[in-house]
Amino acid sequence: MLLACLALASFAPLEFRGGDASFLPEMESLGAKYFDGTKREDPLRIMKKHGLNTARLRIWVEPSHGWCNLEKTLKMAKRAKVAGLKVLLDFHYADDWADPGKQPKPRNWAGLTGAALVQRVEDYSREVVLKLVHQGTPPEVVQVGNEVISGMIWPDGKLDYKNPKTWDAFCDLLKAGLRGVKRASPKSLTMIHIDRGANWESTRIFYDNLRDRHVEFDLIGQSFYPWWHGTMEQMEENLKNTSERYGKGIVIVETAYPFTLDKMSGKPHMVDHRYIDKLPFPQTIAGQRQFVEKLVQLVKQTPNGLGKGVVWWAPDWLEQPNKHSVWENLNWYDAHGRVLPAIDALAR
């Protein structure tokens, strides 16, 4: 019976399969065009046509450049729902990029500390999600923080792994965000996301600390880029150990793979020949698809059916005359905006 269930699970598509569409409005404003074969189409509809079902949208608090603010996020959520996609909302709790190396406090929150900051995180989270609910686009999943392995909203929520008090402060902020989301949309799943997809020891230490402080959430999110995070075998081990220890669904919520290492626009890429020894498949269109096929297979094989999804990061960040894309060789579109076969492998 168990083998039969595993076989069925291996054929069923993942619950969350998609891409981060946060760059799309900016790309389109610069003239980017996307094609399925020879036909120009909305990238969200291309996702749906190829069997994907999830659009991830990041939101910044008050970005000075205007992209990924509340207004644009609401519009993108409507657009995603019209295309037939689920919405995965990614709170950065910052006015710009928040990641392991930086988690900047929003400018207008600068004077808030302690209980006042905790309350602001709860209120802000509730306000944003409630606006999504009221316009008829409740998010299926909400990330409370982005790659928060080092904490969030620094300096207040910055983690020092040797100082338990910093974990208490960080978890108070996480709990506030989680409360705000559930107050606005009780059915939305909540996710805590880190960038240790192939590192079991770091994953265990992080989520053990959350468990010890009774942080209640639904899904574990991981970033996995093989050139930064480790091998696919290490990722497989991490998925197995994480699922068995915490019993929560796991989503690889950020990933990508190059279809070339050569310069496409004459400008540098983030991933180039320096990383070739850490890339397990050829850096070709076929090799990119092979990577996705293997990744999806490993996520599906997570024990107890707890491998829940794979989401590609910035698949549509194309090179534009006025904006260089360091990610152009990691998209699932080529230099001409034509969708690549990797998208189909993700939907399997």
Side-chain angles (χ1 to χ4, degrees):
M1 178 63 73
L2 177 59
L3 289 175
C5 290
L6 287 173
L8 286 172
S10 68
F11 286 106
L14 293 167
E15 184 175 352
F16 303 103
R17 50 195 190 276
D20 191 311
S22 304
F23 270 116
L24 184 54
E26 183 180 5
M27 291 295 97
E28 290 175 331
S29 77
L30 295 170
K33 298 178 178 65
Y34 302 89
F35 298 86
D36 192 357
T38 59
K39 184 180 179 183
R40 183 181 174 186
E41 291 200 44
D42 180 341
L44 298 182
R45 294 189 180 277
I46 291 175
M47 288 168 63
K48 182 66 175 179
K49 277 179 57 179
H50 285 263
L52 305 187
N53 70 353
T54 302
R56 183 177 185 243
L57 304 174
R58 68 174 164 269
I59 183 166
W60 289 317
V61 180
E62 292 188 58
S64 58
H65 43 67
W67 300 112
C68 299
N69 61 12
L70 177 57
E71 177 188 6
K72 288 184 172 62
T73 300
L74 291 171
K75 288 181 180 178
M76 281 298 293
K78 280 186 177 180
R79 189 171 158 186
K81 293 286 187 173
V82 168
L85 302 174
K86 300 175 183 179
V87 171
L88 193 168
L89 183 68
D90 175 16
F91 275 115
H92 278 232
Y93 297 111
D95 294 331
D96 211 312
W97 297 104
D99 55 45
K102 55 187 179 299
Q103 295 278 339
K105 196 173 189 176
R107 290 182 298 276
N108 287 343
W109 299 6
L112 300 177
T113 59
L117 179 60
V118 168
Q119 189 62 53
R120 185 69 192 111
V121 171
E122 179 174 348
D123 292 344
Y124 168 73
S125 303
R126 177 179 179 274
E127 290 161 7
V128 170
V129 175
L130 202 56
K131 286 184 181 294
L132 286 164
V133 170
H134 285 166
Q135 74 167 11
T137 60
E140 280 74 13
V141 182
V142 181
Q143 282 185 225
V144 176
N146 186 75
E147 293 188 329
V148 292
I149 192 72
S150 304
M152 67 184 195
I153 313 177
W154 293 355
D156 305 71
K158 188 171 186 177
L159 285 175
D160 177 350
Y161 276 64
K162 297 179 181 179
N163 183 350
K165 290 183 178 180
T166 65
W167 282 97
D168 296 339
F170 168 58
C171 288
D172 284 346
L173 294 171
L174 282 183
K175 290 176 182 178
L178 293 163
R179 283 195 303 271
V181 171
K182 289 294 188 180
R183 284 175 61 201
S185 183
K187 293 183 179 179
S188 294
L189 299 176
T190 52
M191 176 189 291
I192 306 298
H193 167 216
I194 63 173
D195 67 324
R196 294 296 188 269
N199 188 322
W200 164 236
E201 182 65 12
S202 292
T203 297
R204 182 191 63 76
I205 291 170
F206 181 86
Y207 288 106
D208 273 6
N209 271 283
L210 268 57
R211 183 182 62 184
D212 292 347
R213 288 164 178 79
H214 308 290
V215 179
E216 300 295 335
F217 61 99
D218 302 305
L219 297 169
I220 288 172
Q222 287 276 17
S223 297
F224 174 66
Y225 301 107
W227 57 90
W228 286 328
H229 296 143
T231 68
M232 301 194 84
E233 291 76 17
Q234 289 168 329
M235 188 207 69
E236 181 180 17
E237 177 190 20
N238 196 14
L239 289 171
K240 176 180 181 295
N241 292 340
T242 300
S243 65
E244 291 174 346
R245 189 171 184 86
Y246 304 108
K248 295 181 183 292
I250 308 166
V251 180
I252 302 298
V253 78
E254 288 191 26
T255 194
Y257 198 84
F259 61 84
T260 183
L261 293 181
D262 296 331
K263 289 183 179 180
M264 298 167 61
S265 59
K267 298 178 182 178
H269 297 145
M270 186 171 291
V271 177
D272 56 25
H273 290 277
R274 294 170 298 171
Y275 294 97
I276 194 165
D277 291 340
K278 296 184 178 181
L279 296 170
F281 294 96
Q283 301 83 50
T284 61
I285 290 174
Q288 185 187 59
R289 176 167 184 150
Q290 289 176 319
F291 168 79
V292 178
E293 289 173 341
K294 184 64 174 179
L295 179 63
V296 169
Q297 175 192 344
L298 294 178
V299 173
K300 285 184 178 183
Q301 291 175 357
T302 302
N304 303 312
L306 291 173
K308 296 298 184 182
V310 174
V311 178
W312 199 272
W313 194 76
D316 47 24
W317 185 9
L318 299 182
E319 176 75 13
Q320 296 301 306
N322 296 322
K323 187 177 180 66
H324 174 49
S325 171
V326 297
W327 209 252
E328 62 174 338
N329 64 326
L330 297 162
N331 297 331
W332 64 38
Y333 293 92
D334 68 15
H336 304 286
R338 297 174 300 204
V339 71
L340 297 172
I343 195 173
D344 296 308
L346 188 52
R348 292 180 59 183

